[in-house]
Each structure stands twice: as structure tokens, then as C-alpha cells.
Amino acid sequence: MASSTQMIFLLSIVGAVISAASACCKSESFHNRRYARCTDLPVLNSSLHWTYSSADHSLDIAYRAPPAAPGGWVAWAINPSRLGMVGSQALVAYVDHGKVTVFTTSVDSYGPSMQKMSLSFPVWNLAGETTHGADIVIYAKLRPPWKNTTINQVWQSGTSVANGVPQMHPMLLLSLCIVCAIISTASAGCQSESFRNRHYARCIDHPVLGSSLHWTYSPSDHTLDIAYRAAPPAPGGWVAWAINPAHLGMVGSQALVAYVDRGKVNVFTTSVDSYSPSMRRTALSFPVLNLAGETTAGGNIVIYAKLRLPGGGTIINQVWQSGPVTNGVLHMHPMTGGHMQSTGRLNLL
């Protein structure tokens, strides 16, 4: 299974994938199964589809992923206690003589036995199948042992199975653990949001801080057209969305920042050069076009921009945050809760 990545910044969560429309989870379908939401996971070319029932706190999922090599295995898990591998309650699947074998196991160490065992919460309707593209799909219905809407999610794959026992996953692959917000079907999320005379190919609801990102990515010129919507922690506060060209973390982030002053939205760019940044207006390390902002009826701030990404790469590091403003001076964001959990990789594919 995957190992946790410790993030030192005030923001630390692996974010959602931005991918080409052809790779979108919305194009995937399952025989006689329908799900309310889906997300393309940031690595390992996998996706998660789910329906959450707030009535009985059950989670109906379909996890699709390719094994790391033919004859390998895939797994998806929930860690009830913390971010990390140890303690994860996993659903595992592999193909043996043309038949998909699916089982549950509890990951009790960094060298887990991967033996079949019950989980710490109920699991039913466990099943699996393969797709024409040789991906494996795990189906299950779960009742996690808590009644909130945020879980710790882990996913992984391995290259081989020996005598019915999955072998350790490749350690050179990016192993990760993310917090995933499982939202009730009563909430339409970012898909219900619209912007005047602006349209985007995709959107995601961020797992923390109640924000969302809408975007269209153009691989021909490596431009990213975005709308970032977020609520400041208090009226008159600031919101920000950034890319860190160097690494996952705060220092080095190239940020788009906005706040409202006397009814007008002020939007500017700043380079975060320390853990106590000045938040002064500075140019970024890559071109930013069409920078603008507005407020919504609900008190949210929306930042619009078109970015030309450096180096032509397809994976970027995203950061989002919010904080207070006093007399026109932007102050440090809170050091608690979701403010400590909001950065991650975006795979543009």
C-alpha cells in the first residue's frame, strides 16, 4: 500500500487531477451502476466514482485502475485514524486465470502481509471486473465508522501476485495519501457554479476551505485558463491560489491573490519567498494574462487568470489559502484546520 507524504507547509493535501477531456472520469461507465460523483486521482492513472448517502452514512464506490504490470494488483483504502499507510482498511483486487479476485485486508505495518481479513467497518457488495483496456474495477459499499464527510484515502498498485498474495508495490512510484472530501449527493458542488461569459472544461471542489477550481488546459501552448472561487475566513479577508514551480510547499509559490476593498475586488500577483511572506505585489516567474476578479452573491471571491506554464511539463504543484485583511494589510492565514491542508500535485496529462 502507499506511504504518507509529510507536507511541511501550512497547506498540505494532494490535489485533484487536471487532465485532458479524453481521460476524464466522466467518460467512464459501468454496467448497470451509476454514481453521483467521480474524480481522476493524481497518480497511477486511476479514478474513483462514488455515491455518498447521508441518511445511513454509507459510501458506494467504484475504483478503476491498471495494475503496475500485467498480473499485478490494485487497491483502494480508507484510513480511519490518520493520514498514512499504516492502519489503512483496504480493498484489493487482481486477476487470476481470467477471473478477478477481490478481498479486504488491514494494513498493519509498512511491510503488510496482504492476507485476506475483515476490515474495521462493514463492507458489502464487494465485486470486481476488468475493462477492455485491462484496467481492474473494484466495486464495494462501505459504512465508515464516523459520520462526517471527510475521509483519509489511499490508493496503490503492484506488479505481481505470488500464490494469491499481492507483493509489495514499486517503491520508485509516487506513493501518497490524500484527504478526499466525500460530499453528499444533495450538494451539486462546482458543477452548479457558473460565470458570466466564461466557460471551463472541468472543475473540482477542493477538499478543504470550501473552494473550487474551474479550468481549461491547452496542451498546444501550455496555457491554463482558471477560475478560482473561495470564501475568505471573515468578511473583508483575502483568498489565494498558486502554483509552486519547484516543489510541494509554500515557499516558492507563485500566487494569485484577491480581496475586497470598499466594494471593489483587488487582484494581484505575488511570489511567496518565505514562511512569512510580505504579500507585496510582484511579478511571477511565468506569464499571467487576463487577471481579474469579482464577488458572488454568497460572499465568495472569484479570481480569473490565464497562465502560461513554465517548462511545458504536465504536472504542477497547486496551493490554495485564505486569510484576514486589516486596514488594507494582508495578514497570515490561520494555522489550524483546513488552512494546514491545502496543497498538492495537479496532473495536466
Side-chain angles (χ1 to χ4, degrees), residues 187-240:
S187 172
C190 66
Q191 295 177 15
S192 68
E193 299 167 357
S194 61
F195 308 97
R196 186 171 51 191
N197 298 325
R198 297 175 188 262
H199 303 282
Y200 299 91
R202 306 218 23 222
C203 74
I204 54 171
D205 294 298
H206 281 139
V208 293
L209 303 186
S211 56
S212 63
L213 181 70
H214 298 248
W215 73 88
T216 299
Y217 174 64
S218 173
S220 61
D221 59 0
H222 306 294
T223 57
L224 185 63
D225 195 10
I226 68 104
Y228 172 68
R229 181 206 56 77
W238 59 268
V239 303

Side-chain angles (χ1 to χ4, degrees), residues 292-314:
E294 67 177 2
T295 56
T296 70
N300 293 323
I301 299 174
V302 182
I303 298 174
Y304 301 109
K306 192 168 188 177
L307 320 173
R308 182 162 288 113
L309 304 181
T314 59

Side-chain angles (χ1 to χ4, degrees), residues 10-33:
L10 323 169
L11 317 160
S12 59
I13 190 166
V14 176
V17 184
I18 295 178
S19 60
S22 61
C24 180
C25 66
K26 295 177 185 177
S27 68
E28 300 168 354
S29 61
F30 308 98
H31 185 62
N32 294 328
R33 298 175 188 261

